[in-house]
Amino acid sequence: MADPQRVHPVPDPEAPQAPTAPLVPPGSSKSDRGSPAPHDNVYYPPMHRTLPVAHSRPPKRRRSCLCRCLCWTFSVVAILIVLIAATAGILYLAFRPKLPKYSIDALQTTQFNLSNNGSLEATFDVTITARNPNKKIGIYYEGGSRINVLYDGEELCEGALPKFYQGHRNTTVLVVPLSGETQNGTGLLSQLQAERQATGVIPLNLRVRQPVRVKLGKLKLFKVKFLVRCRLAVDSLSEDNSIRITSSSCKFRLRL
């Protein structure tokens, strides 16, 4: 069976063509550069193509890493501060710590005279009372302490506290021997006598530097230093004399 013939329409060449719009307006001419020439006081500006400007951005990777490191560091420091503050608050509420108290109760001289070389030799026995008012805190008095007695900045004698443990709500009385030798003893002794005749008393300073360990319950903490400064006024200083203390005041300070 033969295939049917297909008929395709053929355009008529004699048929009228549809008018098309001219690309250039009538009466105008095109310049050599492609811009339309002015005609009848009408000017067509040349066409310009605007291209976007791409601005280069600096790399931010290093800067972002630095910002992250700083943020992490500040966060860790802030967390540590909060934890330390919280721990300190809990310990304070649990133990209610109070500062120990110290007083100078008696001062006795066993030697206070000039030697053959002109120096002043002094030997004192100082009675110190230490009070621990805490209910749950004990104090270990470690070795390495130092006590000295001064007059007008000149050291007269020195010594040290013994090692001992002071329990809760305990009062300990210590008799500490002090001894020393001061150069230019003649001038210092004359100054002491003049001070006593003018004011009736002799001012002295007693300083204590004592390393201790604090015990919270069953926990023994790291070593700290107790600093005690006492101002004394005594009636006299002479050999084999029990000195009367007319006034005494002590200040306590803790140093890590």
Side-chain angles (χ1 to χ4, degrees), residues 96-115:
R96 298 287 182 178
K98 298 178 181 179
L99 295 177
K101 298 179 180 180
Y102 301 92
S103 62
I104 308 300
D105 300 330
L107 182 64
Q108 185 176 2
T109 58
T110 58
Q111 182 181 8
F112 196 80
N113 54 15
L114 293 174
S115 64

Side-chain angles (χ1 to χ4, degrees), residues 154-175:
E154 292 285 343
E155 184 178 288
L156 300 178
C157 53
E158 64 177 357
L161 289 175
K163 293 176 62 176
F164 68 97
Y165 171 73
Q166 189 174 29
H168 312 149
R169 286 189 170 181
N170 178 266
T171 299
T172 304
V173 179
L174 304 169
V175 179

Side-chain angles (χ1 to χ4, degrees), residues 112-114 120 184-194 237:
F112 196 80
N113 54 15
L114 293 174
L120 179 63
N184 190 18
T186 304
L188 183 59
L189 190 59
S190 301
Q191 186 178 353
L192 286 170
Q193 293 174 354
L237 286 177

Side-chain angles (χ1 to χ4, degrees), residues 1 9 18 37 81 84 90 110 147 149 169 235:
M1 182 176 181
I81 292 175
I84 292 173
I90 293 173
T110 58
I147 305 176
V149 176
R169 286 189 170 181
D235 60 347

Side-chain angles (χ1 to χ4, degrees), residues 18-228:
T20 58
L23 296 178
V24 180
S28 64
S29 61
K30 193 173 183 181
S31 65
D32 295 338
R33 296 185 181 180
S35 300
H39 182 72
D40 296 334
N41 295 329
V42 178
Y43 177 77
Y44 295 91
M47 301 297 293
H48 295 281
R49 184 179 180 183
T50 304
L51 298 177
V53 179
H55 297 279
S56 61
R57 296 184 179 180
K60 295 184 179 181
R61 187 174 182 179
R62 183 177 299 176
R63 185 177 179 182
S64 62
C65 291
L66 179 60
C67 292
R68 288 183 180 180
C69 292
L70 291 177
C71 291
W72 276 105
T73 302
F74 285 129
S75 300
V76 171
V77 171
I79 292 173
L80 289 177
I81 292 175
V82 172
L83 290 177
I84 292 173
T87 304
I90 293 173
L91 291 177
Y92 178 82
L93 294 177
F95 294 96
R96 298 287 182 178
K98 298 178 181 179
L99 295 177
K101 298 179 180 180
Y102 301 92
S103 62
I104 308 300
D105 300 330
L107 182 64
Q108 185 176 2
T109 58
T110 58
Q111 182 181 8
F112 196 80
N113 54 15
L114 293 174
S115 64
N116 295 331
N117 59 2
S119 61
L120 179 63
E121 296 179 348
T123 303
F124 293 171
D125 287 334
V126 182
T127 302
I128 301 176
T129 300
R131 298 177 178 86
N132 179 15
N134 295 282
K135 296 180 181 180
K136 302 178 181 180
I137 299 177
I139 302 174
Y140 287 92
Y141 288 80
E142 303 286 343
S145 66
R146 187 171 185 265
I147 305 176
N148 55 355
V149 176
L150 301 95
Y151 168 76
D152 195 23
E154 292 285 343
E155 184 178 288
L156 300 178
C157 53
E158 64 177 357
L161 289 175
K163 293 176 62 176
F164 68 97
Y165 171 73
Q166 189 174 29
H168 312 149
R169 286 189 170 181
N170 178 266
T171 299
T172 304
V173 179
L174 304 169
V175 179
V176 184
L178 308 175
S179 61
E181 183 177 356
T182 307
Q183 302 298 325
N184 190 18
T186 304
L188 183 59
L189 190 59
S190 301
Q191 186 178 353
L192 286 170
Q193 293 174 354
E195 180 87 22
R196 182 175 179 274
Q197 292 176 0
T199 61
V201 296
I202 299 175
L204 299 176
N205 291 326
L206 186 141
R207 297 177 181 177
V208 181
R209 295 175 180 85
Q210 175 64 51
V212 300
R213 289 183 182 271
V214 178
K215 183 180 180 183
L216 300 177
K218 296 182 179 181
L219 180 62
K220 191 175 181 181
L221 300 182
F222 53 89
K223 187 182 293 187
V224 296
K225 286 185 178 181
F226 284 177
L227 302 179
V228 183

